[in-house]
Amino acid sequence: LRQHAFYGLTTDQTLQLLKIYDLSVPSVHSNISTLRDGFNEFLEGIAAIQCQYAVVPALLNPADRNSADAYKSLADEFNSYGEKMSSYGMTLAYHNHGYEHISYDGRMGLDILISQTDPELVQFELDLFWMKAAGQDPVAYLNKYPGRFKLMHLKDSTKEFRFSGDGSTPDQWMAGFPLMSDPGDGVYNIDKMIQAGLDSGVEHFFLERDLAPQPETTLNNSFNYLSKHLRG
């Protein structure tokens, strides 16, 4: 992992590219299997790029999210990872996908994770599109849990999109891909969500468009939009 951690590039090659383009790496994503099976190797592999957050982007195994007890167990697991990461100057974070809004014993999975994790060790990355797809309000979550969402994935939609079910299967996510649009070009009030994020303590805002027919156009549009809203 340390030798080829970044899409086939060595750590040294990655650091060289970051220096050339004057870029930093606020966060990285890692599936939970990597943390469970190779946690120390993962941390050692990314330590050199000095990222702030290591994000679990999804829970692909239904057993990790099929009950309140599963979420409570996951919260304990996240706390453990976060405690170990703290010695590397990193914080664990979790990225929502929609199924976290299934209710168990009157509480949604995401609320269990937020309430059962230590804010000093575990934070969250809010994906606006997927939270809306689950029928939830990103602004309400930002207001309800100030300081718990440190990262935000921004993408708009050409029309309101809701999952056909509970959002727990890939086919439901992929149904939303063709509707995704650049921030500010769709029907969602991205301005309001960004402001709520700033007020709530979001530190990093990321463009994420899963399907971008014209990537350069999307990058330019998003850079211009975010520069206007995040730099005054």
Side-chain angles (χ1 to χ4, degrees):
L1 179 62
R2 284 175 289 179
Q3 294 302 313
H4 299 283
F6 308 101
Y7 294 93
L9 299 178
T10 66
T11 300
D12 288 343
Q13 289 170 331
T14 301
L15 289 171
Q16 185 178 12
L17 283 176
L18 293 172
K19 183 177 181 180
I20 289 172
Y21 293 104
D22 192 24
L23 295 173
S24 62
V25 183
S27 68
V28 298
H29 279 199
S30 173
N31 60 56
I32 196 167
S33 297
T34 296
L35 300 185
R36 287 170 173 166
D37 300 332
F39 186 80
N40 291 334
E41 292 84 357
F42 169 74
L43 284 183
E44 292 170 8
I46 65 171
I49 64 172
Q50 299 180 319
C51 63
Q52 295 172 262
Y53 298 97
V55 184
V56 175
L59 299 172
L60 298 181
N61 185 348
D64 286 326
R65 49 177 169 82
N66 62 5
S67 67
D69 285 342
Y71 276 105
K72 291 175 184 177
S73 177
L74 195 64
D76 291 339
E77 187 176 359
F78 283 177
N79 283 328
S80 175
Y81 294 144
E83 184 173 10
K84 294 173 183 175
M85 286 180 181
S86 64
S87 63
Y88 287 79
M90 284 185 280
T91 301
L92 183 76
Y94 178 74
H95 170 290
N96 63 287
H97 260 96
Y99 39 72
E100 304 88 357
H101 294 288
I102 300 171
S103 181
Y104 298 102
D105 301 332
R107 299 178 71 197
M108 293 184 181
L110 185 59
D111 294 271
I112 295 172
L113 282 180
I114 295 174
S115 62
Q116 299 287 125
T117 49
D118 184 341
E120 296 296 319
L121 305 174
V122 180
Q123 294 290 354
F124 293 82
E125 181 169 54
L126 196 160
D127 188 299
L128 306 179
F129 187 91
W130 296 127
M131 187 171 280
K132 290 284 289 181
Q136 301 300 312
D137 181 0
V139 172
Y141 259 86
L142 289 163
N143 292 338
K144 183 178 181 180
Y145 298 107
R148 294 310 305 272
F149 292 95
K150 297 299 186 183
L151 311 106
M152 185 181 289
H153 271 177
L154 299 172
K155 48 181 174 270
D156 214 330
S157 183
T158 56
K159 65 178 183 178
E160 291 279 345
F161 172 68
R162 288 287 302 274
F163 292 126
S164 59
D166 58 16
S168 64
T169 57
D171 61 296
Q172 294 181 59
W173 313 334
M174 289 186 287
F177 288 179
L179 303 179
M180 293 176 182
S181 61
D182 300 343
D185 286 348
V187 299
Y188 295 149
N189 192 340
I190 303 296
D191 294 14
K192 183 178 181 181
M193 296 177 189
I194 288 177
Q195 188 57 55
L198 291 169
D199 293 340
S200 180
V202 174
E203 298 172 353
H204 302 287
F205 297 80
F206 301 97
L207 160 72
E208 186 190 48
R209 184 169 173 182
D210 300 61
L211 290 182
Q214 297 177 306
E216 290 187 5
T217 300
T218 286
L219 287 172
N220 284 325
N221 289 346
S222 300
F223 179 82
N224 292 333
Y225 181 87
L226 295 179
S227 294
K228 175 182 176 183
H229 286 78
L230 297 178
R231 296 181 183 176

